Structures are given as C-alpha cells and as structure tokens.
Amino acid sequence: MGLSTQKGGLQKKLAYEMRCLVITLGLCFWIYWLIHRSNSDTSLTINGTVFINRTVPIGRIDDDFVCATLDWWPPEKCDYGTCSWGRASLLNLDLTNPILYNAIKAFSPLKIRLGGTLQDKVIYLIDVNQPPCNPFVKNESDLFGFSQGCLPMSRWDELNDFFKRTGAVVIFGLNALNGRIIDSKGSAIGAWDSSDAESLIQYTVKKGYTIHGWELGNELSGFGIGARVAADQYASDTNTLQHIVQKIYAGFEVKPLVLAPGGFFDANWFTEFIHKTTKSLQVVTHHIYNLGPGNDKHLTEKILDPSLLGGESRTLSSLQSILKSSGTSAVAWVGEAGGAYNSGHNHVTNAFVSSFWYLDQLGMAASYNMKTYCRQTLIGGNYGLLNTNTFVPNPDYYSALLWHRLMGNNVLSTSFSGTQKMRAYAHCSKKNTQGITLLLINLDDHTRVQVSVSTDQSGTSPEIPNLLNSKTTATNNNMREEYHLKAKHGDLQTQVLVLNGKILTVDSSGAIPPVEPIYTRMADSIYVAPSSIVFVRIPNINLPACT
C-alpha cells in the first residue's frame, strides 16, 4: 500500500471520528437541554396559602359519606355507538369475583345505592304464581328504550348475602311508575301503585335483610328524564312509602330511611315537594352530571376548568336554602353523580383526570352539608370505580378510598390564596385520629405550588402564620402524612394511578393494595406538583371546630 493511500485512509478515519464526536456532543447537548427544560418546568414554583376557619365546622358528613351505585342496565345498553355496560347489571354481576368483594370490603363499610333509570320499570317476582320473570329487552319504542324487567327473589337473596358478607350499607331504589300511565307529553298520570314495593319490603324483612334506606323513583322530578311526576303527587306517594315503612318495621328500634326524589334539581319543584313531605322524608336526593354528555370532546378541558367546577355550588346552596326554609328535618344527599351522562367517556371519566372532578365534587358537596355522595357507578359504563370487564380499580376508586379513610365528619371552611388553579378542602381527620386533613388539587399542568397553612384570615398581616412551622400546634409529633396522587407517565387519560411514586395494582388474588403515606417533617413545606392531587394529614393541630 502506498504512502498516499495510507494518508487518505487516515484522513477518512479522522473525519469519521470527528463526525462521531460531533454527533455525541450534539446528543449530550440535546439530553442536557431536555433535562434543563424539564427541571426548569418543575422548578416553576409559586407560593400559596390554605386559610382554615378554626372556630366552627360548616358542615358534617356521614361516616360513610362515600357511596357508589349499582345499576340495572343490561349489556345491550349503548351510547354513541359504544356498549360499555357488559355484565355489570344488578341482575348479572358476578358476585363471586374476588376483586369486587375486596373492593367493597376495603371501605368497611361502603354505602351502595341500587338503582338507576330502569328501576322504574322493574317488577319484583315474589309470588311463584306471578307471570314469568322476564329480562329487560331492548326496544326503542318503549319508555327508556327497554321493556319491563323483573327482579326474581332468588337474585335478591344472592345480592343480600353478598352485601352482608362485604358489610355494604344498602339503599334500594323502588319503582315509582308502577300503576301510572305516561301521557304523550311524558307526564305520569295517577297515583303510585305501592303494592309491589310493599311486597318486596315485607319479603326483605321476613328474610332478615338489612336495608339502610328505601328510595322512591329515579329522575322523575322537574321536567324528568323520559317521564315526570308532579311535585304534589310525588309528595303524596312519598307519604305513602313512609306509612308502609312505619307499618312493616313497627317494633324495630332502627327503621330504614325514606329517600326521594332521586332526580335533577329544579328549584320550584323541589320547594313544593320538600314543603309537603316535612314529616315523611328523611333524605332529599338529587343527581349531578355537570360535565354534559359523554360524547363531548372537551370533557378533559372542562374537568380542569376551575370556573366550571365551582358552578355546581349554586345548586348545592339553593337546595340547602330550601331545606332550611321548609322546617323539615330531612338532610340532603347527592344520590347519583357520574360527571358526564349517557355512560361517561372512556379514558376520561374512568381515567386519572376524572379524579380532579370527583375529589373536587366530594369536597364541594361536603362543604355544602351534603351528608352522602353516591358515585355512578361502582362498576358499569365508562364511569365506574372498577373496570367493567376486569374489575380492576380505576384511579377514582383509590381517590374515593383515601377520602373515606382520611376525611372526617367535620367540614372546615377553607379557601386558597395564590392561584385559581388550586382547589383546597379541609376536614377534621377521621375519627380515632387527631388533627386535620387537607385535600389539595392542582389543576395547573406546569406549575408546582408551595403551600402554607394558616388559620389567620384577617389579611392584615404581611407575615402569614404558617401552622406547619408553629411550635405550639405540633408539640407531640413533628411528622405529617402525605399522599401524592399522579398519573403514570403524566398521562391524564391513563387508568393507572401512582401513589407516592408507586403504581397501585391488585395482586393475583385480587387483593386491594395498601394506600400508604410518606412521612414528612412538620417544618417542611407542602409541595403539590403540576397536575397532581395531595392528601395531607396534619396531626395534633387541635382546632375548636374539631372538638
């Protein structure tokens, strides 16, 4: 080989190595830039303060405030071309599934409302001499798109056995259209035929089944959904149900609640109804689907819009005003809420992003003295706490479980200063524990919030006292619990929840994973990452509102 050839080869080798060096340096610079950009995003931190009124609670919720529903919809129920119900109906749900059992058992107890649209087309097969028990059959010409269905007592027995084993607290929705005729305008004419309901209640008592409450009807108030009942007639029917319950449960120390109307809020209708049931009604139930239809392409944006989330406060406030003016002793529940109606939206109402809406709803409802909040659904549709096909918990299941275990009965008046993208709620901690628990919801996708906590709401002092740094409020314990909820890989439409850096998943036996906190020094600030949710239990902060 000649010298010139060797020289040319050496030049090519040097050129090749130089190109590799340039590529490597470029790659390193690109990685550095990504890391730097990422760090700069997460380091975009603002300060905010949670203000808590320490004197008196503004509401008090039930121990089993978190409630979930089981519906009647058969597999043929479809919305927008998607059939999302599978075998999640009360009539065909697999009661032997270990995940289902463990998911309910984990709440100890979970309040479950049995009902939904088709409850007003269900008859109860109690007498063997009755006609055969036919299933729901899809028929677009029928009311609600299905024929009349039937609950056989053999299935009722199975359900009650399951609820007893899981410790569930059961609310049953009765058929309020029985015996009525629906006219061409959708008005239900005539009084309620209570005989079928009375037979079911008698059977239930005879078998020794425990029912926490009997609810009359589903979404028949106001303009109704498919059909409607006038307020004065509904009040008369509710009085009838109360008479039946008192008669059948005579001698019982604790009698089931009577609940109604389980419909959408209409101020005039609810005012008349409540004023005419002051002695027969224990719980006023209403439904919420404030995100609109399930096929809305902007559901995620709506969920992350604080002004839209806060809009529901007007309904909650109005309902409480009606109750106070009526002189009734009845309390208010959110009897059904799934966010988006018509079965929700896959990868939105069953994904991590839904927890921003759901936990905000729980916090807001509690602050307006709603005693219970029933989520549509426990399983079924695209808004279930559990996956309809696999039974695996969706993110909202764990959000509900954390609320249930951490947020106590007394609701504290709470506000947040620093950004409109942070939603903040506070309760006295769950019974048998001391202190308070905060719920912090950061709707901002690029800003971290450093949070201080104060009971000074005068606004006159530039130096806001931070309870986290106060030596007088945490003398016996200098640690707090934190539960940071994030989406896997930051994908808000994922169905995988990350708690304190760990993915939550059931094991091969169907056991619900533990939801464990991280412990942080009281003196350290609370940091809420972008697009994340944090529960914070602060022990040994003794407020007058919690005593």
Side-chain angles (χ1 to χ4, degrees):
M1 182 182 295
L3 181 61
S4 60
T5 303
Q6 291 179 351
K7 186 177 180 181
L10 181 60
Q11 289 175 337
K12 289 181 179 180
K13 181 179 179 181
L14 290 172
Y16 173 78
E17 290 177 347
M18 183 61 70
R19 285 197 300 271
C20 289
L21 179 61
V22 170
I23 292 172
T24 301
L25 289 173
L27 180 61
C28 290
F29 177 81
W30 180 72
I31 293 173
Y32 170 82
W33 180 80
L34 283 178
I35 293 173
H36 179 73
R37 187 181 70 168
S38 176
N39 286 338
S40 65
D41 285 347
T42 58
S43 64
L44 179 58
T45 302
I46 62 172
N47 296 320
T49 302
V50 177
F51 295 99
I52 299 172
N53 186 325
R54 64 187 301 142
T55 55
V56 294
I58 57 171
R60 184 172 174 83
I61 61 174
D62 291 341
D63 288 339
D64 47 10
F65 173 78
V66 172
C67 165
T69 69
L70 288 173
D71 214 307
W72 293 96
W73 290 120
E76 295 78 18
K77 160 69 171 171
C78 305
D79 301 281
Y80 319 117
T82 299
C83 307
S84 60
W85 284 86
R87 296 180 62 83
S89 166
L90 283 163
L91 296 174
N92 58 31
L93 181 63
D94 180 8
L95 303 179
T96 67
N97 186 282
I99 302 177
L100 178 66
Y101 174 88
N102 292 329
I104 297 174
K105 191 75 173 175
F107 279 81
S108 297
L110 178 63
K111 187 179 287 177
I112 300 179
R113 178 234 182 193
L114 314 180
T117 299
L118 293 185
Q119 80 178 54
D120 291 313
K121 301 200 73 171
V122 177
I123 60 172
Y124 319 118
L125 184 63
I126 298 166
D127 190 338
V128 293
N129 296 319
Q130 287 178 257
C133 202
N134 296 318
F136 292 109
V137 176
K138 190 174 181 63
N139 187 342
E140 296 297 339
S141 63
D142 277 346
L143 180 65
F144 308 132
F146 284 87
S147 68
Q148 187 179 68
C150 175
L151 172 64
M153 289 303 95
S154 58
R155 181 60 175 178
W156 185 229
D157 294 339
E158 292 172 354
L159 287 165
N160 277 281
D161 175 69
F162 176 74
F163 296 139
K164 182 179 180 179
R165 289 187 291 110
T166 57
V169 174
V170 177
I171 310 297
F172 187 87
L174 296 163
N175 179 348
L177 291 182
N178 195 40
R180 307 187 203 266
I181 297 173
I182 311 300
D183 69 14
S184 59
K185 296 181 180 180
S187 295
I189 308 301
W192 173 51
D193 181 351
S194 61
S195 58
D196 204 27
E198 185 169 357
S199 295
L200 177 65
I201 297 173
Q202 287 175 334
Y203 178 90
T204 300
V205 171
K206 181 179 178 181
K207 297 286 283 189
Y209 301 147
T210 300
I211 302 298
H212 186 64
W214 298 98
E215 184 177 28
L216 184 61
N218 182 84
E219 297 179 355
L220 302 174
S221 60
F223 292 100
I225 302 297
R228 61 183 177 272
V229 178
D232 60 341
Q233 182 61 61
Y234 217 123
S236 176
D237 300 331
T238 301
N239 294 336
T240 298
L241 175 58
Q242 173 67 17
H243 174 74
I244 291 170
V245 169
Q246 291 297 317
K247 180 181 67 174
I248 295 177
Y249 288 90
F252 281 65
E253 184 176 350
V254 178
K255 297 178 175 64
L257 302 172
V258 171
L259 306 89
F264 291 103
F265 181 74
D266 177 290
N268 293 331
W269 193 100
F270 269 68
T271 298
E272 181 179 358
F273 173 73
I274 292 170
H275 278 74
K276 292 181 177 180
T277 55
T278 55
K279 297 181 179 180
S280 62
L281 188 65
Q282 286 80 61
V283 180
V284 177
T285 50
H286 77 289
H287 295 180
I288 296 175
Y289 286 90
N290 61 325
L291 297 178
N295 66 343
D296 189 332
K297 297 180 180 180
H298 302 287
L299 287 177
T300 296
E301 292 94 321
K302 286 185 174 182
I303 289 171
L304 300 176
D305 182 352
S307 62
L308 186 144
L309 292 178
E312 194 60 31
S313 63
R314 292 187 291 271
T315 294
L316 301 174
S317 176
S318 181
L319 177 53
Q320 286 296 348
S321 295
I322 295 171
L323 289 173
K324 290 177 182 178
S325 67
S326 71
T328 184
S329 60
V331 298
W333 290 12
V334 176
E336 180 184 312
Y341 59 80
N342 290 341
S343 304
H345 189 108
N346 195 27
H347 296 298
V348 178
T349 52
N350 55 9
F352 177 76
V353 69
S354 177
S355 283
F356 293 99
W357 167 83
Y358 181 39
L359 286 173
D360 187 71
Q361 281 277 303
L362 295 180
M364 189 188 311
S367 68
Y368 282 93
N369 210 29
M370 301 291 128
K371 303 301 184 182
T372 289
Y373 191 106
C374 297
R375 168 61 180 263
Q376 175 82 347
T377 59
L378 175 61
I379 186 168
N382 284 320
Y383 37 32
L385 297 180
L386 306 178
N387 182 285
T388 301
N389 299 313
T390 66
F391 292 77
V392 170
N394 287 321
D396 280 357
Y397 171 84
Y398 297 109
S399 296
L401 187 60
L402 282 166
W403 172 287
H404 176 74
R405 292 182 178 179
L406 295 171
M407 305 295 272
N409 301 96
N410 285 5
V411 186
L412 304 175
S413 178
T414 308
S415 62
F416 191 86
S417 174
T419 171
Q420 294 183 342
K421 289 279 191 173
M422 178 69 78
R423 310 284 287 179
Y425 300 95
H427 287 218
C428 302
S429 292
K430 198 76 171 183
K431 60 183 180 180
N432 301 324
T433 59
Q434 293 182 319
I436 63 173
T437 300
L438 306 179
L439 169 60
L440 304 170
I441 305 169
N442 189 359
L443 303 173
D444 198 309
D445 64 354
H446 65 276
T447 302
R448 183 178 71 161
V449 183
Q450 181 178 352
V451 178
S452 59
V453 184
S454 177
T455 57
D456 178 13
Q457 295 179 285
S458 64
T460 58
S461 173
E463 296 295 331
I464 299 173
N466 185 358
L467 292 183
L468 303 181
N469 295 325
S470 173
K471 296 180 180 179
T472 62
T473 56
T475 56
N476 298 324
N477 191 340
N478 65 352
M479 304 295 287
R480 65 174 184 265
E481 297 177 7
E482 294 186 0
Y483 304 78
H484 293 256
L485 309 182
K486 297 181 181 180
K488 183 181 179 182
H489 301 318
D491 178 9
L492 295 185
Q493 293 184 297
T494 184
Q495 293 174 320
V496 180
L497 179 68
V498 178
L499 171 63
N500 293 331
K502 296 180 180 180
I503 293 175
L504 294 179
T505 182
V506 297
D507 64 19
S508 58
S509 68
I512 302 300
V515 284
E516 298 175 336
I518 56 173
Y519 292 90
T520 307
R521 292 190 314 152
M522 280 288 295
D524 293 342
S525 295
I526 299 169
Y527 288 97
V528 185
S531 299
S532 75
I533 300 164
V534 182
F535 286 93
V536 184
R537 193 180 80 82
I538 307 174
N540 299 326
I541 291 181
N542 299 314
L543 305 183
C546 297
T547 58

